[in-house]
Amino acid sequence: MSVRALKGNGRWWALAGCLLWLTFTFFPLYWVAITSFKTPLGVVGGPTYIPFVDFEPSLSAWRELLSGQRGQFYNTFIASTIVGLSASLLATVIGSMAAYALVRFTFEVKLLSAVIFVVIAFGGYLIGYNFLGLRQGPSLIYAFVAALSLAVASSRLRLPGPVLGNNDIVFWFVSQRMFPPIVAAFALFLMYTEMGKMGVKLVDTYVGLTFAYVAFSLPIVIWLMRDFFEALPIEVEEAAMVDNVPSWRIFFGIVVPMSKPGLIATFMITLAFVWNEFLFALFLTSSKWQTLPILVAGQNSQRGDEWWAISAAALVAIIPMVIMAGILSRLMRSGLLLGAIK
């Protein structure tokens, strides 16, 4: 039932409920905003709610943040922006192509081939490191190449056992998000450290952090875009196939324009995940490419959490996401993200 259809007291009750929910939603943002304008004594001296009424606002926390006393604010903001945009764009491009392939083509992966890959990868690494005297990095690379080659070759043979289809592959992608993030972050840190010993620096670099975020974001991109591609009419693509249009032109010339609403929404959702991610940035960066969540978490001293500084840094991290949500809602109101396909 629509709210506009309500009459009399029902409409006023609905309005009161909406206002109550709006207050409940925006009060945390309001509290962060006013706390960033309080002095240390204003924070620890008891709760105050209205500027110029029960406390005198101060810009001290903002001066400290913007002047660099609270960390390299400008470098951190630029690093978050560059890494967030590039990782989200790469994840959306790669993930959308994978999602389209899983929707329009049939894949069969023999379970025994996957078992062969796991056994050769782990066994080859242990043999190379413990018996052949190789370092961890080269041993891992050689084992991975050998395992991948044997798995691909064995998949062409008639192997016994079950065969995994497209739905199983999608579930495998989504299941990567079920692992505790600390496991993946720690494993990436160890791998990056070994790569650094081989002369390829990945810790505290743009490439290393972006690569981690792309891998972190791919499952959700594939999951979201798969539903968008399934909703597209296949008749348009079949008509192009009749005219001998190559598959890559069908994807980029027909499918991508029709799925633009989904691509925009998926990119923004991915950007929100990357922008707010803390654990990977904590493990894989030290100074140069630290992101805003690390800056916010570091706003404390020997006296404990300094909430006026934390609020100022958190507000800076929140504002871009609020702007992005406003843009997304504006696009939705204008009809670009309604998902209607004519």
Side-chain angles (χ1 to χ4, degrees):
M1 184 177 181
S2 175
V3 176
R4 295 180 179 179
L6 297 175
K7 296 180 181 180
N9 293 333
R11 176 171 294 186
W12 290 107
W13 280 110
L15 178 60
C18 292
L19 291 176
L20 181 63
W21 178 253
L22 184 66
T23 303
F24 178 79
T25 304
F26 277 94
F27 182 77
L29 296 177
Y30 172 76
W31 190 256
V32 170
I34 64 171
T35 303
S36 67
F37 292 101
K38 293 180 181 180
T39 61
L41 291 177
V43 173
V44 300
T48 51
Y49 302 93
I50 304 175
F52 298 105
V53 176
D54 53 0
F55 77 92
E56 190 69 24
S58 172
L59 295 175
S60 58
W62 289 96
R63 292 194 193 98
E64 293 177 359
L65 180 66
L66 299 178
S67 64
Q69 299 180 34
R70 292 284 177 175
Q72 299 296 325
F73 166 73
Y74 295 104
N75 293 341
T76 304
F77 186 84
I78 293 173
S80 287
T81 303
I82 295 175
V83 172
L85 290 175
S86 56
S88 301
L89 180 61
L90 285 173
T92 303
V93 172
I94 298 172
S96 61
M97 290 189 289
Y100 177 75
L102 289 170
V103 169
R104 291 292 185 256
F105 303 99
T106 301
F107 293 90
E108 294 183 352
V109 178
K110 297 180 176 63
L111 181 60
L112 189 57
S113 296
V115 174
I116 291 174
F117 174 82
V118 173
V119 171
I120 297 300
F122 280 95
Y125 167 74
L126 294 175
I127 292 173
Y129 181 67
N130 294 316
F131 298 100
L132 300 182
L134 298 175
R135 292 185 300 177
Q136 292 185 0
S139 179
L140 182 63
I141 294 174
Y142 295 149
F144 176 79
V145 173
L148 184 62
S149 302
L150 289 175
V152 173
S154 64
S155 64
R156 300 178 179 274
L157 304 176
R158 293 184 177 179
L159 299 177
V163 178
L164 307 180
N166 289 31
N167 291 333
D168 300 305
I169 297 174
V170 173
F171 175 78
W172 180 83
F173 275 114
V174 177
S175 67
Q176 306 308 303
R177 296 301 300 270
M178 299 180 186
F179 288 102
I182 185 66
V183 176
F186 186 66
L188 279 175
F189 175 75
L190 293 179
M191 185 180 72
Y192 283 7
T193 303
E194 291 300 322
M195 295 296 292
K197 295 178 182 179
M198 299 173 58
V200 181
K201 184 181 179 182
L202 292 175
V203 177
D204 199 24
T205 62
Y206 163 76
V207 175
L209 189 58
T210 302
F211 172 79
Y213 281 150
V214 170
F216 170 78
S217 304
L218 276 177
I220 193 169
V221 173
I222 294 174
W223 179 48
L224 292 174
M225 289 307 303
R226 182 169 178 261
D227 293 335
F228 279 107
F229 289 139
E230 284 182 339
L232 297 179
I234 195 174
E235 292 79 11
V236 180
E237 300 174 46
E238 292 175 344
M241 292 178 185
V242 172
D243 295 334
N244 294 323
V245 179
S247 298
W248 64 270
R249 285 190 60 187
I250 293 176
F251 178 75
F252 288 104
I254 298 176
V255 176
V256 169
M258 287 195 302
S259 59
K260 186 186 296 183
L263 290 171
I264 295 174
T266 302
F267 171 79
M268 291 187 172
I269 293 172
T270 305
L271 179 60
F273 276 109
V274 174
W275 185 269
N276 297 319
E277 204 284 324
F278 173 78
L279 194 61
F280 284 96
L282 178 64
F283 270 82
L284 304 180
T285 62
S286 57
S287 58
K288 186 177 180 180
W289 286 97
Q290 284 186 342
T291 55
L292 282 173
I294 305 298
L295 180 69
V296 174
Q299 302 305 311
N300 49 42
S301 66
Q302 296 178 351
R303 296 174 295 181
D305 296 328
E306 299 184 353
W307 294 108
W308 53 94
I310 294 175
S311 298
L315 199 61
V316 172
I318 290 172
I319 288 174
M321 292 298 100
V322 173
I323 295 175
M324 187 186 70
I327 295 174
L328 182 61
S329 62
R330 186 177 181 85
L331 291 174
M332 293 179 67
R333 285 196 301 269
S334 65
L336 291 179
L337 296 185
L338 291 179
I341 302 171
K342 297 181 180 180

